[in-house]
Amino acid sequence: MKQPISLRLTSLISTVVLWASAFPAIRVGVDGLGVGGLSFWRLAVASVALAVVSPILRVRLPHRRDLPLIALCAFTGMSAYQVLLNWGEVHVPAGTASLLIATAPVFSVLLASIFLGERLSTTIVAGTVTALAGVALIAYAAGSARITSALVILAAAVVQGVYHFATKPLLKRYTGLEVACYAMWAGTLFLTPLAPGAVHDLLQAPADAAVSTLYLGLLPSALGFVTWGYAVARYTIAQSTAALYLVPPLAIGVAFVWLGEIPGPVELVGGLISMVGVLLIHRHTARSAAAPEPPSPLLDKAEK
């Protein structure tokens, strides 16, 4: 039976809004809990929430052969991503952070070219150069006092790109929600060394930081992946991922209302340039996905 358009559209819109709201919520949480405390508690809360609903959502156990790849996804897309993004947002405005994170698809495409033999077309090269030019402009606008933090957030975009690249073989055997659950649970285990300090930080954290952390774990992390999994199962990849271009402008709007923050004009121009570059790459990959492609020998070996 065909799913109601309103329900799948609501799921997609909800995901965009939840993920956009995460950037200003991080600013509030990291001020009270610190980088390590926020990173651990956000993943821990999300992991517990997903564990509770996983039987209802029929999340299967992964095969043993896939555990190394799941560990890579968990370390890059969850553990390292959280620590780097939270660290960077100590000094970088939430809206600017969202613009930098939006470049993650650039690094996914580059990794696919290097390791999976996917061809770098003229469009992809042009999109990559354009996106990185926008990143350079954002870093320049950040100034010497914040450029290190901007580069840390760019590193978060890189590991997020690794995560998207590494999930490709897994998504042939599992649903997007299942992959997210596996990565979330394993990512929390990777951050358990931070648990003692995180408990101490939570006991001393102000109420707004604790509430923001609970919000981040339950809504953008746990519910966000559930609504995203529902949406991508009912839209084409091109349609669903195109909606994510709304995350940076929404994040800027939420940060302005919530925190009174707004990126400077040069940062906004740099973000717009980066988004144009990512859009070029997205349009090319969407067309490529619609056409039959020869199998990659390296991917075949990885799946055996």
Side-chain angles (χ1 to χ4, degrees), residues 260-275:
E261 289 182 351
I262 188 168
V266 178
E267 292 168 306
L268 290 173
V269 171
L272 180 60
I273 292 172
S274 292
M275 293 297 289

Side-chain angles (χ1 to χ4, degrees), residues 210-249:
V211 171
S212 290
T213 304
L214 187 64
Y215 170 81
L216 284 165
L218 290 177
L219 297 179
S221 293
L223 181 59
F225 276 112
V226 172
T227 54
W228 175 249
Y230 184 91
V232 297
R234 291 157 179 82
Y235 283 106
T236 66
I237 293 296
Q239 289 172 325
S240 55
T241 54
L244 298 183
Y245 292 113
L246 297 174
V247 169

Side-chain angles (χ1 to χ4, degrees), residues 261-299:
E261 289 182 351
I262 188 168
V266 178
E267 292 168 306
L268 290 173
V269 171
L272 180 60
I273 292 172
S274 292
M275 293 297 289
V276 169
V278 175
L279 181 60
L280 285 173
I281 293 173
H282 170 76
R283 292 185 64 183
H284 174 85
T285 52
R287 287 196 302 267
S288 298
E293 295 183 355
S296 167
L298 186 56
L299 182 58

Side-chain angles (χ1 to χ4, degrees), residues 30 33-42 83 86 191 194-195 197-198 201:
V30 79
L33 279 168
V35 173
L38 178 60
S39 300
F40 173 79
W41 284 117
R42 178 177 179 179
V83 172
N86 294 342
L191 292 187
L194 301 178
D201 293 336

Side-chain angles (χ1 to χ4, degrees), residues 65-66 68-69 115-117 169 172-173 294-304:
R65 65 173 181 173
D66 293 321
L69 196 53
F115 293 103
L116 300 181
K172 295 179 182 294
R173 298 186 283 276
S296 167
L298 186 56
L299 182 58
D300 290 342
K301 291 179 182 179
E303 292 181 345
K304 289 181 180 178

Side-chain angles (χ1 to χ4, degrees), residues 69 73 162-172 179-180 183:
L69 196 53
C73 293
V162 174
Y163 170 80
H164 292 311
F165 161 75
T167 59
K168 277 192 171 185
L170 294 174
L171 291 172
K172 295 179 182 294
V179 173

Side-chain angles (χ1 to χ4, degrees), residues 31-291:
D31 285 343
L33 279 168
V35 173
L38 178 60
S39 300
F40 173 79
W41 284 117
R42 178 177 179 179
L43 289 189
V45 169
S47 290
V48 171
L50 289 174
V52 170
V53 300
S54 60
I56 302 173
L57 299 175
R58 298 180 180 178
V59 174
R60 300 165 295 171
L61 291 175
H63 295 292
R64 183 176 300 178
R65 65 173 181 173
D66 293 321
L67 293 182
L69 196 53
I70 289 172
L72 175 62
C73 293
F75 181 76
T76 56
M78 299 298 172
S79 306
Y81 174 77
Q82 291 297 328
V83 172
L84 290 169
L85 178 57
N86 294 342
W87 180 15
E89 279 208 47
V90 171
H91 299 295
V92 172
T96 303
S98 70
L99 292 171
L100 289 168
I101 292 298
T103 61
V106 173
F107 305 107
S108 300
V109 170
L110 292 177
L111 287 168
S113 174
I114 295 170
F115 293 103
L116 300 181
E118 294 186 5
R119 188 174 64 88
L120 278 179
S121 68
T122 303
T123 303
I124 289 180
V125 173
T128 300
V129 172
T130 302
L132 294 180
V135 167
L137 191 58
I138 293 172
Y140 170 78
S144 58
R146 295 190 307 184
I147 191 169
T148 299
S149 296
L151 292 176
V152 167
I153 294 178
L154 182 61
V158 172
V159 295
Q160 188 74 347
V162 174
Y163 170 80
H164 292 311
F165 161 75
T167 59
K168 277 192 171 185
L170 294 174
L171 291 172
K172 295 179 182 294
R173 298 186 283 276
Y174 307 99
T175 66
L177 176 60
E178 287 174 330
V179 173
C181 286
Y182 306 150
M184 191 77 72
W185 294 330
T188 304
L189 290 177
F190 283 132
L191 292 187
T192 50
L194 301 178
V199 172
H200 177 268
D201 293 336
L202 182 62
L203 293 176
Q204 297 185 340
D208 61 343
V211 171
S212 290
T213 304
L214 187 64
Y215 170 81
L216 284 165
L218 290 177
L219 297 179
S221 293
L223 181 59
F225 276 112
V226 172
T227 54
W228 175 249
Y230 184 91
V232 297
R234 291 157 179 82
Y235 283 106
T236 66
I237 293 296
Q239 289 172 325
S240 55
T241 54
L244 298 183
Y245 292 113
L246 297 174
V247 169
L250 277 176
I252 292 171
V254 174
F256 176 72
V257 173
W258 190 350
L259 306 175
E261 289 182 351
I262 188 168
V266 178
E267 292 168 306
L268 290 173
V269 171
L272 180 60
I273 292 172
S274 292
M275 293 297 289
V276 169
V278 175
L279 181 60
L280 285 173
I281 293 173
H282 170 76
R283 292 185 64 183
H284 174 85
T285 52
R287 287 196 302 267
S288 298

